[in-house]
Amino acid sequence: MNFSTFIKKATTVVKQIALVTCIFTFNQGLVGSEYIVNVASQSTLVNPGDNYVAYCNIPGQWALDIIQNLKVTWFHNGQALTSLCEFLSSHLTQKYSCKVLSPQQNNISLELTVLNVQKADAGNLTCKVYEKVKVGYQWVRDELVAIKSLPIQVREPIKSMTFRFVANKDEYLTVDNNEAIHQMEVLSGKYAPSCEAMGGMPKANIQIMMGDQMMQGKIMDIENKMGTKFVADATDFRGNSQINVTCTAEVEGLPNSEMQLTYRVVVRQRDPKFRCTNTSAAVNNKRHKITCEVYDVDGISCNNILWKRGDTGEDYMPGSYFNINIACTKVTESKIKTTLEILQVTAEYFKTPFMISVIYNDTLSHTKEFQLIIPEARDPKFRCTNTSAAVNNKRHKIT
């Protein structure tokens, strides 16, 4: 609605005459006056595709006062759009709309709407108000009353994200190399995961969850304030456990802007250690037994033991096989004893060097392998000396 229409609907003919009379009296000379101008918007941030609404409010003035005494113009990034609420060019109506609001007769606002906001619309909306200065009935100049601006900030999604669990380790997750859940094995200790989100507008909110608990930490600006980094406080990760650690980043108010990267952190106490005995050589057609202790792993289990032949590549879990028995017993919570027994050693075992490995494999520990080489017992060889004939009633020695 333009101002002329507004006045016709809002006032009677008598009131219009009275107002014109007052304004006529007021402007007989060069009289200074003061005006209050306010600008406002529901939010300076807007999502792409949404509308941005701004208000230029001139309280304490009737509609006719504004028409007669003021020039009000909206600007968008320096381009003049309106005179009062009339657009300066018809094509501007494709991008903008304007209407007059009057919740009270002497409290007028010009509402400007930027339609279908895009990134290129970011910048400022400015309301400029000038007073028309007259001498007698003659307009002589415009005096600036107020310039009030509002920023337009268009929300933008996160452009890149990096999640690092171990600060001094050259391994990290990004949106490009991320699996649904990425497994990482670490030793027990204190760790301070960090997560970076770059390019969001406004800067992304970041949090790191350890299981269902939010980790405490600090937020830092990075790279000339173009991104945000969250560094969690150093936190204990105890051995023989696994837990998901997730970084979530989101641009507040922007739908579908949330991004997540997740580590499944497997914490092991320490690597398993091996102590094996193989004191004798394997003798053909005889039994041969090897005993190994695997220890220094909390919660150790015989289910994770595997023996492997080096010549054939065959694997043996605890149990009975052709010519081979595998046994395992748990000694303590951190030690097991396992044996490999060959029921009858044959020549085929030594066609190549006979190697046997004992392997401990667990998701909470690195796979560790201990390799043994079993020597073959060979028939003895003789070298004798008997250089002189035996003499009656004399000593005789053979070496």
Side-chain angles (χ1 to χ4, degrees):
M1 182 189 299
N2 59 38
F3 269 68
S4 299
T5 305
F6 177 81
I7 290 173
K8 289 177 183 177
K9 291 185 178 182
T11 63
T12 65
V13 173
V14 175
K15 287 182 179 179
Q16 290 183 49
I17 295 171
L19 286 169
V20 171
T21 303
C22 286
I23 293 168
F24 174 80
T25 305
F26 178 79
N27 287 291
Q28 288 301 304
L30 183 60
V31 180
S33 59
E34 293 184 359
Y35 295 89
I36 298 172
V37 178
N38 301 311
V39 292
S41 64
Q42 293 178 347
S43 172
T44 62
L45 288 161
V46 61
N47 293 336
D50 288 351
N51 296 337
Y52 181 93
V53 182
Y55 305 90
C56 187
N57 172 245
I58 308 172
Q61 305 297 316
W62 295 74
L64 193 57
D65 292 336
I66 294 173
I67 291 175
Q68 294 291 332
N69 300 321
L70 299 177
K71 290 177 64 177
V72 183
T73 303
W74 275 110
F75 291 82
H76 185 192
N77 291 339
Q79 179 188 6
L81 304 178
T82 66
S83 174
L84 294 176
C85 236
E86 299 289 340
F87 285 103
L88 302 180
S89 174
S90 60
H91 79 274
L92 293 173
T93 58
Q94 298 176 14
K95 184 65 180 176
Y96 307 91
S97 68
C98 187
K99 62 182 177 180
V100 179
L101 303 179
S102 180
Q104 299 170 341
Q105 286 188 334
N106 65 340
N107 187 13
I108 306 298
S109 292
L110 306 183
E111 179 191 271
L112 182 73
T113 301
V114 184
L115 306 172
N116 188 24
V117 172
Q118 300 301 318
K119 184 178 179 180
D121 296 320
N124 292 283
L125 283 179
T126 302
C127 180
K128 287 187 180 182
V129 180
Y130 293 87
E131 183 182 4
K132 300 174 183 178
V133 179
K134 298 178 182 178
V135 176
Y137 296 102
Q138 184 69 35
W139 167 73
V140 293
R141 67 182 182 278
D142 295 332
E143 285 191 356
L144 183 63
V145 173
I147 300 178
K148 297 291 183 71
S149 294
L150 290 166
I152 301 179
Q153 295 176 294
V154 183
R155 290 187 179 93
E156 297 180 41
I158 299 164
K159 291 183 173 60
S160 65
M161 185 175 171
T162 303
F163 186 23
R164 192 184 301 270
F165 185 78
V166 183
N168 58 358
K169 191 173 182 180
D170 191 24
E171 180 178 348
Y172 53 86
L173 294 181
T174 68
V175 291
D176 297 323
N177 74 347
N178 182 47
E179 304 168 2
I181 295 180
H182 181 84
Q183 183 162 304
M184 169 176 279
E185 292 190 359
V186 297
L187 292 171
S188 59
K190 286 184 176 289
Y191 294 90
S194 64
C195 192
E196 300 177 3
M198 305 295 295
M201 170 59 73
K203 289 182 223 176
N205 296 326
I206 302 177
Q207 67 176 15
I208 297 178
M209 301 292 293
M210 179 179 175
D212 59 358
Q213 300 295 314
M214 186 169 66
M215 300 185 74
Q216 301 300 310
K218 58 183 178 181
I219 290 284
M220 297 181 292
D221 291 331
I222 53 176
E223 291 192 14
N224 299 322
K225 300 185 178 180
M226 294 300 292
T228 307
K229 181 177 183 178
F230 178 81
V231 181
D233 296 337
T235 304
D236 271 324
F237 285 78
R238 300 191 178 278
N240 291 346
S241 65
Q242 58 182 353
I243 191 168
N244 287 353
V245 180
T246 301
C247 174
T248 302
E250 182 178 19
V251 176
E252 186 176 356
L254 183 62
N256 304 316
S257 66
E258 180 180 291
M259 299 175 70
Q260 279 192 351
L261 299 173
T262 300
Y263 282 107
R264 175 165 291 152
V265 180
V266 178
V267 188
R268 52 189 175 82
Q269 188 67 32
R270 54 181 68 89
D271 291 339
K273 296 181 174 62
F274 297 84
R275 185 187 297 120
C276 296
T277 58
N278 181 39
T279 56
S280 62
V283 179
N284 199 25
N285 296 320
K286 299 287 186 180
R287 287 177 178 261
H288 189 80
K289 189 174 185 179
I290 302 169
T291 301
C292 284
E293 289 182 348
V294 186
Y295 61 99
D296 216 11
V297 175
D298 292 339
I300 199 165
S301 171
C302 284
N303 293 332
N304 301 321
I305 279 293
L306 188 72
W307 289 81
K308 183 170 185 169
R309 280 182 60 169
D311 56 342
T312 64
E314 293 177 272
D315 295 334
Y316 304 102
M317 297 179 68
S320 297
Y321 303 87
F322 175 74
N323 203 34
I324 289 178
N325 286 338
I326 305 292
C328 182
T329 56
K330 190 167 184 176
V331 180
T332 67
E333 281 301 311
S334 60
K335 181 168 73 174
I336 56 176
K337 180 186 287 186
T338 180
T339 59
L340 178 145
E341 184 176 23
I342 303 172
L343 302 181
Q344 185 176 14
V345 176
T346 62
E348 72 173 72
Y349 286 103
F350 302 102
K351 289 180 180 178
T352 60
F354 187 31
M355 292 184 293
I356 285 285
S357 297
V358 59
I359 300 168
Y360 189 80
N361 184 16
D362 185 9
T363 57
L364 300 180
S365 300
H366 277 318
T367 297
K368 284 294 181 179
E369 180 176 347
F370 188 83
Q371 193 173 79
L372 304 101
I373 298 178
I374 303 174
E376 178 184 7
R378 299 182 180 277
D379 293 334
K381 295 180 180 179
F382 300 89
R383 183 183 296 115
C384 300
T385 59
N386 181 31
T387 56
S388 60
V391 179
N392 195 23
N393 295 322
K394 296 288 185 179
R395 288 176 178 268
H396 187 81
K397 187 176 182 181
I398 301 172
T399 301

